[in-house]
Coordinates of all heavy atoms in Angstrom, one line a residue:
E65 N -10.0 52.9 -15.6 CA -9.4 51.9 -16.5 C -8.0 51.7 -16.1 O -7.3 52.6 -15.6 CB -9.5 52.3 -17.9 CG -11.0 52.2 -18.5 CD -11.6 50.8 -18.3 OE1 -10.9 49.8 -18.7 OE2 -12.7 50.7 -17.8
I66 N -7.4 50.5 -16.4 CA -6.0 50.2 -16.1 C -5.2 50.5 -17.3 O -5.6 50.0 -18.4 CB -5.9 48.8 -15.6 CG1 -6.7 48.6 -14.3 CG2 -4.4 48.4 -15.4 CD1 -6.8 47.1 -13.9
T67 N -4.1 51.1 -17.1 CA -3.2 51.4 -18.3 C -2.4 50.1 -18.6 O -2.3 49.2 -17.8 CB -2.2 52.5 -18.0 OG1 -1.4 52.2 -16.8 CG2 -2.9 53.8 -17.7
D68 N -2.0 50.1 -19.8 CA -1.1 49.0 -20.2 C 0.3 49.2 -19.6 O 0.9 50.2 -20.0 CB -1.0 48.9 -21.8 CG -0.1 47.8 -22.3 OD1 0.6 47.2 -21.5 OD2 -0.2 47.5 -23.5
P69 N 0.7 48.4 -18.7 CA 2.0 48.7 -18.0 C 3.2 48.7 -18.9 O 4.2 49.2 -18.6 CB 2.1 47.6 -16.9 CG 1.2 46.5 -17.4 CD 0.1 47.2 -18.2
K70 N 3.0 48.2 -20.2 CA 4.1 48.3 -21.1 C 4.1 49.6 -21.8 O 5.1 50.0 -22.4 CB 4.0 47.2 -22.2 CG 4.2 45.8 -21.5 CD 4.0 44.7 -22.5 CE 4.2 43.3 -21.8 NZ 3.9 42.2 -22.6
K71 N 3.1 50.4 -21.7 CA 3.0 51.7 -22.2 C 2.9 52.8 -21.2 O 3.1 54.0 -21.5 CB 1.8 51.8 -23.2 CG 1.8 50.9 -24.3 CD 0.6 51.0 -25.2 CE 0.7 50.0 -26.4 NZ -0.6 50.1 -27.1
G72 N 2.5 52.5 -20.0 CA 2.4 53.4 -18.9 C 2.3 52.6 -17.6 O 2.3 51.4 -17.6
T73 N 2.1 53.3 -16.5 CA 2.0 52.6 -15.2 C 0.8 53.1 -14.4 O 0.5 54.2 -14.4 CB 3.3 53.0 -14.3 OG1 4.4 52.6 -15.1 CG2 3.3 52.2 -13.0
E74 N 0.2 52.1 -13.7 CA -1.0 52.4 -12.9 C -0.8 51.8 -11.5 O -0.6 50.6 -11.5 CB -2.3 51.9 -13.5 CG -3.5 52.2 -12.7 CD -3.9 53.6 -12.6 OE1 -3.8 54.3 -13.6 OE2 -4.3 54.0 -11.5
V75 N -0.7 52.6 -10.5 CA -0.7 52.1 -9.1 C -1.7 52.8 -8.3 O -2.1 53.9 -8.6 CB 0.7 52.2 -8.5 CG1 1.8 51.4 -9.2 CG2 1.2 53.6 -8.4
L76 N -2.1 52.2 -7.2 CA -3.0 52.8 -6.2 C -2.3 52.7 -4.9 O -2.1 51.6 -4.3 CB -4.3 52.0 -6.1 CG -5.3 52.5 -5.1 CD1 -5.7 53.9 -5.3 CD2 -6.5 51.5 -5.0
F77 N -1.8 53.8 -4.4 CA -1.1 53.9 -3.1 C -2.2 53.9 -2.0 O -3.0 54.7 -2.0 CB -0.2 55.1 -3.0 CG 0.9 55.1 -4.0 CD1 0.7 55.9 -5.2 CD2 2.0 54.4 -3.8 CE1 1.8 55.9 -6.1 CE2 3.0 54.4 -4.8 CZ 2.9 55.1 -5.9
S78 N -2.0 53.0 -1.0 CA -3.0 52.9 0.0 C -2.4 53.2 1.4 O -1.3 52.7 1.7 CB -3.6 51.4 0.1 OG -4.3 51.1 -1.1
I79 N -3.1 54.0 2.1 CA -2.6 54.3 3.5 C -3.7 53.9 4.5 O -4.9 53.9 4.2 CB -2.2 55.8 3.6 CG1 -3.3 56.7 3.2 CG2 -1.0 56.1 2.8 CD1 -3.1 58.2 3.4
D80 N -3.3 53.6 5.7 CA -4.3 53.1 6.7 C -4.7 54.2 7.5 O -4.1 55.3 7.7 CB -3.7 52.0 7.5 CG -2.6 52.4 8.4 OD1 -1.9 53.4 8.1 OD2 -2.3 51.7 9.4
A81 N -5.9 54.0 8.1 CA -6.5 55.0 9.1 C -6.8 54.2 10.3 O -7.0 53.0 10.3 CB -7.7 55.6 8.5
E82 N -6.8 54.9 11.4 CA -7.1 54.3 12.7 C -8.6 54.1 13.0 O -8.9 53.4 13.9 CB -6.4 55.1 13.8 CG -4.9 55.0 13.7 CD -4.2 55.8 14.9 OE1 -4.9 56.2 15.8 OE2 -3.0 55.9 14.8
S83 N -9.4 54.8 12.3 CA -10.9 54.7 12.5 C -11.7 55.2 11.3 O -11.1 55.8 10.4 CB -11.2 55.6 13.7 OG -11.1 57.0 13.4
R84 N -13.0 54.9 11.4 CA -13.9 55.4 10.3 C -13.9 56.9 10.3 O -13.9 57.6 9.3 CB -15.3 54.9 10.5 CG -15.4 53.4 10.4 CD -16.7 52.8 10.8 NE -17.8 53.3 10.0 CZ -18.4 52.6 9.0 NH1 -17.9 51.4 8.8 NH2 -19.4 53.1 8.3
E85 N -13.8 57.5 11.5 CA -13.8 59.0 11.7 C -12.6 59.6 11.0 O -12.6 60.6 10.4 CB -13.9 59.4 13.1 CG -15.2 59.0 13.8 CD -15.3 57.5 14.2 OE1 -14.3 56.8 14.3 OE2 -16.5 57.0 14.4
E86 N -11.4 58.9 11.2 CA -10.2 59.4 10.5 C -10.3 59.3 9.0 O -9.8 60.2 8.3 CB -9.0 58.6 11.0 CG -7.7 59.2 10.5 CD -6.5 58.5 11.0 OE1 -6.5 57.4 11.5 OE2 -5.4 59.2 10.9
V87 N -11.0 58.3 8.5 CA -11.2 58.2 7.0 C -12.0 59.4 6.6 O -11.6 60.1 5.6 CB -12.0 56.9 6.7 CG1 -12.5 57.0 5.2 CG2 -11.1 55.7 6.9
D88 N -13.1 59.7 7.3 CA -13.9 60.9 6.9 C -13.2 62.2 7.0 O -13.3 63.1 6.2 CB -15.2 60.9 7.8 CG -16.1 59.7 7.6 OD1 -16.0 59.1 6.5 OD2 -16.9 59.4 8.5
E89 N -12.3 62.3 8.1 CA -11.5 63.5 8.3 C -10.5 63.7 7.1 O -10.4 64.8 6.6 CB -10.8 63.4 9.6 CG -9.9 64.6 9.9 CD -9.1 64.5 11.2 OE1 -9.5 63.6 12.0 OE2 -8.1 65.2 11.3
L90 N -9.9 62.6 6.7 CA -8.9 62.7 5.6 C -9.6 63.0 4.3 O -9.0 63.8 3.5 CB -8.2 61.4 5.5 CG -7.1 61.1 6.6 CD1 -6.6 59.7 6.5 CD2 -5.9 62.1 6.4
A91 N -10.8 62.6 4.1 CA -11.6 62.9 2.9 C -11.8 64.4 2.8 O -11.7 65.1 1.8 CB -12.9 62.2 2.8
R92 N -12.2 65.0 4.0 CA -12.4 66.5 4.1 C -11.1 67.2 3.8 O -11.1 68.2 3.1 CB -13.0 66.9 5.4 CG -14.5 66.4 5.6 CD -15.1 67.0 6.8 NE -14.5 66.5 8.1 CZ -14.9 65.4 8.6 NH1 -15.9 64.7 8.1 NH2 -14.4 64.9 9.8
K93 N -10.0 66.7 4.4 CA -8.7 67.4 4.2 C -8.2 67.3 2.7 O -7.6 68.3 2.2 CB -7.7 66.7 5.1 CG -7.8 67.1 6.6 CD -6.7 66.4 7.4 CE -6.8 66.8 8.9 NZ -5.8 66.2 9.7
V94 N -8.5 66.2 2.0 CA -8.1 66.1 0.6 C -8.8 67.2 -0.2 O -8.2 67.9 -1.0 CB -8.5 64.7 0.1 CG1 -8.5 64.7 -1.5 CG2 -7.6 63.6 0.6
V95 N -10.1 67.4 0.0 CA -10.8 68.4 -0.7 C -10.3 69.8 -0.4 O -10.1 70.6 -1.3 CB -12.4 68.2 -0.5 CG1 -13.1 69.4 -1.1 CG2 -12.9 66.9 -1.0
A96 N -10.1 70.0 0.9 CA -9.7 71.3 1.4 C -8.3 71.7 0.8 O -8.0 72.8 0.6 CB -9.7 71.4 2.9
A97 N -7.5 70.7 0.6 CA -6.1 70.9 0.1 C -6.1 71.0 -1.5 O -5.0 71.2 -2.0 CB -5.2 69.8 0.6
G98 N -7.2 70.8 -2.1 CA -7.2 70.9 -3.6 C -7.3 69.6 -4.4 O -7.3 69.6 -5.6
G99 N -7.3 68.5 -3.6 CA -7.5 67.2 -4.3 C -9.0 66.9 -4.6 O -9.8 67.7 -4.3

Side-chain angles (χ1 to χ4, degrees):
E65 290 300 313
I66 298 171
T67 60
D68 181 346
K70 294 178 181 173
K71 296 179 182 176
T73 303
E74 179 66 42
V75 294
L76 175 64
F77 297 101
S78 295
I79 54 178
D80 67 336
E82 293 182 8
S83 66
R84 294 170 67 98
E85 294 77 19
E86 186 176 19
V87 168
D88 294 337
E89 178 185 341
L90 285 170
R92 288 189 292 273
K93 287 181 178 181
V94 164
V95 173

